[in-house]
């Protein structure tokens, strides 16, 4: 994957995936993986093994991050440490988020 400019349209053109996937990896460099995620109806995510950052491109709803829940909207940035239960809940049908996975398995050590 050699593109250095990524667009929402580029990612949405590849969704859903061949097996119904609602995410697609668009870029990888070192430990960084950039995906576009567009769940529909429900968000079936399980905790991930690396730290991740979401940037909301479109849509609104509620985000569960561990024991907390909060509203989100376009432009919001959401951080989830490795291993934490998280998911998008009660979200609009147009939800699209950039996902940035990075760092080592198990997440980075807090400062």
């Amino acid at each position: 994957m050699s593109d250095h400019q990524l667009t929402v349209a580029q990612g949405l053109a590849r969704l859903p995936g061949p097996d119904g996937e609602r995410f697609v990896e668009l870029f990888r460099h070192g430990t960084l993986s950039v995906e576009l995620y567009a769940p529909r109806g429900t968000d079936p995510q399980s905790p991930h093994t690396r730290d991740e950052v979401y940037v909301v491109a479109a849509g609104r709803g509620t985000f569960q991050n561990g024991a907390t829940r909060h509203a989100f909207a376009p432009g919001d940035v959401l951080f989830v440490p490795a291993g934490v239960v998280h998911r998008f809940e009660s979200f609009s049908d147009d939800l699209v988020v950039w996902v940035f996975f990075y760092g080592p398995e198990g997440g980075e050590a807090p400062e």
Side-chain angles (χ1 to χ4, degrees):
M1 296 180 197
S2 61
D3 285 345
H4 292 102
Q5 179 183 10
L6 307 172
T7 67
V8 170
Q10 179 184 43
L12 290 176
R14 295 177 51 192
L15 293 175
D19 294 320
E21 299 93 347
R22 297 307 308 181
F23 66 92
V24 60
E25 183 180 61
L26 297 172
F27 182 79
R28 181 176 288 274
H29 179 79
T31 68
L32 175 65
S33 170
V34 179
E35 298 180 358
L36 193 73
Y37 183 47
R40 295 297 179 252
T42 60
D43 178 6
Q45 293 190 79
S46 298
H48 299 106
T49 61
R50 296 191 302 150
D51 292 335
E52 66 184 304
V53 172
Y54 292 101
V55 178
V56 180
R60 297 177 184 278
T62 303
F63 186 67
Q64 175 195 358
N65 192 348
T68 64
R69 285 181 168 77
H70 50 84
F72 67 85
D76 289 357
V77 175
L78 310 167
F79 171 74
V80 181
V84 171
V85 172
H86 63 284
R87 69 185 31 86
F88 294 92
E89 301 175 328
S90 303
F91 52 88
S92 57
D93 289 340
D94 63 341
L95 178 61
V96 178
V97 296
W98 289 106
V99 185
F100 301 87
F101 288 104
Y102 67 93
E105 293 292 321
E108 293 188 347
E111 291 187 13

